[in-house]
Amino acid sequence: MIYMTDGSFEGILTAVFEAFRRKECPEKIASQEPCQLTLGTEIREIETDREKSDRVYKAIVEKMSREAIEILYRAYLSEHPDVGTKIYDYIKIGLKIGGRIIYYLQDPDVLWIHDRNQKVLKEVHLFLGILRFRKLRNGIYYAGYEPDNNITTLISGHFEERLSNQPWIIHDAGRDIYALYNTNETVFLHEHIPIPKNEADKKFEVLWKGYFQSTAIENRLNPNLQRRFMPRRYWKNLIEKQNN
């Protein structure tokens, strides 16, 4: 039995609700993306129901902890193809042992979730330090990036505080997800939006490159260490690393 969801966090929690309600133990909780099926596999389409997902959410908070639901959500943002199934396994264990679930790392399913959670947190921490904004023609500051995990919702709160008096856009170019801040609130969109460019953008890039070069100490350069802290796959969205 495979439960097929829309891939949202609420959709996965709805699938968990249905598994308990039907007294079924699905082999996999998957999204609508193509997944490998074996002969004789039964597919059950699960329609996302906010009331059902809210009940599971509240049960996790009450019977485990708020930290447990936060760990599950961050693991979900890893977008691993098995994350729906692993969330279901984690919840099953958590409903039996309660708040101890966050320390129950000897169980491979619990450890799997915590590993994904840590990878997401690590990338969040990285981009809080290396995300670069440039000023667009309309005066809005724009930062494009391509994270491995779907972390835009997690990093936006930091920039609401740091850049609270100016409008900005954070754009996950790989997923076409936008965080749009108007100095009062942040709105998240998932669609393609054309971003204007002009000569001011180029001057902004030159300024960043100049700062990067002027603060570098040539005899202390360590490219291997730099690549370890700032992997090369992120360089194309770093102004100071262009043409390097």
Side-chain angles (χ1 to χ4, degrees):
M1 171 72 71
I2 292 180
Y3 279 15
M4 199 68 70
T5 75
D6 63 2
S8 67
F9 190 60
E10 291 79 10
I12 293 172
L13 296 188
T14 301
V16 172
F17 179 93
E18 288 295 335
F20 280 94
R21 185 180 73 84
R22 296 171 182 270
K23 295 182 171 59
E24 293 179 340
C25 187
E27 176 186 348
K28 186 176 181 68
I29 293 179
S31 70
Q32 296 291 353
E33 299 297 324
C35 63
Q36 188 173 359
L37 303 178
T38 57
L39 188 64
T41 300
E42 183 180 352
I43 302 293
R44 189 181 300 285
E45 297 282 347
I46 303 296
E47 183 177 348
T48 299
D49 185 312
R50 194 57 182 266
E51 182 179 349
K52 293 176 181 177
S53 68
D54 283 349
R55 288 177 64 178
V56 176
Y57 184 101
K58 291 175 183 176
I60 295 169
V61 172
E62 292 172 1
K63 297 183 179 181
M64 297 175 225
S65 66
R66 182 161 296 279
E67 185 178 358
I69 194 68
E70 291 172 356
I71 288 170
L72 286 172
Y73 182 66
R74 287 191 293 263
Y76 160 75
L77 294 177
S78 72
E79 298 184 330
H80 191 284
D82 293 332
V83 73
T85 309
K86 296 298 185 179
I87 287 174
Y88 169 61
D89 294 335
Y90 188 98
I91 293 172
K92 282 197 302 181
I93 297 168
L95 291 176
K96 292 179 181 177
I97 68 174
R100 292 185 295 122
I101 184 71
I102 62 174
Y103 308 110
Y104 199 59
L105 302 183
Q106 63 267 37
D107 186 285
D109 293 323
V110 175
L111 181 62
W112 192 98
I113 288 289
H114 282 255
D115 282 346
R116 294 305 176 284
N117 169 65
Q118 286 300 318
K119 288 178 180 177
V120 169
L121 283 174
K122 183 178 179 180
E123 191 172 45
V124 167
H125 180 72
L126 172 68
F127 276 108
L128 292 183
I130 70 171
L131 196 68
R132 301 293 190 256
F133 286 85
R134 58 184 175 85
K135 193 173 184 178
L136 303 180
R137 181 173 51 196
N138 54 16
I140 295 174
Y141 286 83
Y142 169 84
Y145 76 140
E146 296 181 44
D148 295 333
N149 304 285
N150 189 359
I151 62 172
T152 303
T153 57
L154 298 184
I155 69 172
S156 60
H158 170 83
F159 292 103
E160 284 180 3
E161 295 180 2
R162 291 290 300 275
L163 305 172
S164 61
N165 62 346
Q166 59 193 40
W168 47 254
I169 300 170
I170 296 175
H171 176 206
D172 180 340
R175 299 173 177 84
D176 261 338
I177 293 175
Y178 295 80
L180 310 175
Y181 178 69
N182 65 358
T183 73
N184 291 311
E185 62 177 347
T186 302
V187 176
F188 297 95
L189 297 178
H190 189 184
E191 59 182 274
H192 180 69
I193 303 174
I195 300 296
K197 294 183 178 180
N198 69 343
E199 286 303 312
D201 297 343
K202 185 60 67 175
K203 292 179 181 178
F204 198 68
E205 292 180 8
V206 171
L207 177 65
W208 264 109
K209 286 183 180 179
Y211 173 79
F212 183 77
Q213 292 167 2
S214 67
T215 56
I217 302 173
E218 187 172 354
N219 61 4
R220 296 185 65 182
L221 290 178
N222 188 335
N224 291 331
L225 183 65
Q226 186 182 55
R227 280 192 291 271
R228 213 159 62 230
F229 283 99
M230 191 186 295
R232 184 177 288 273
R233 65 181 181 275
Y234 299 131
W235 287 12
K236 64 181 178 180
N237 290 307
L238 295 175
I239 296 169
E240 66 270 29
K241 297 301 292 183
Q242 300 307 305
N243 301 322
N244 282 0

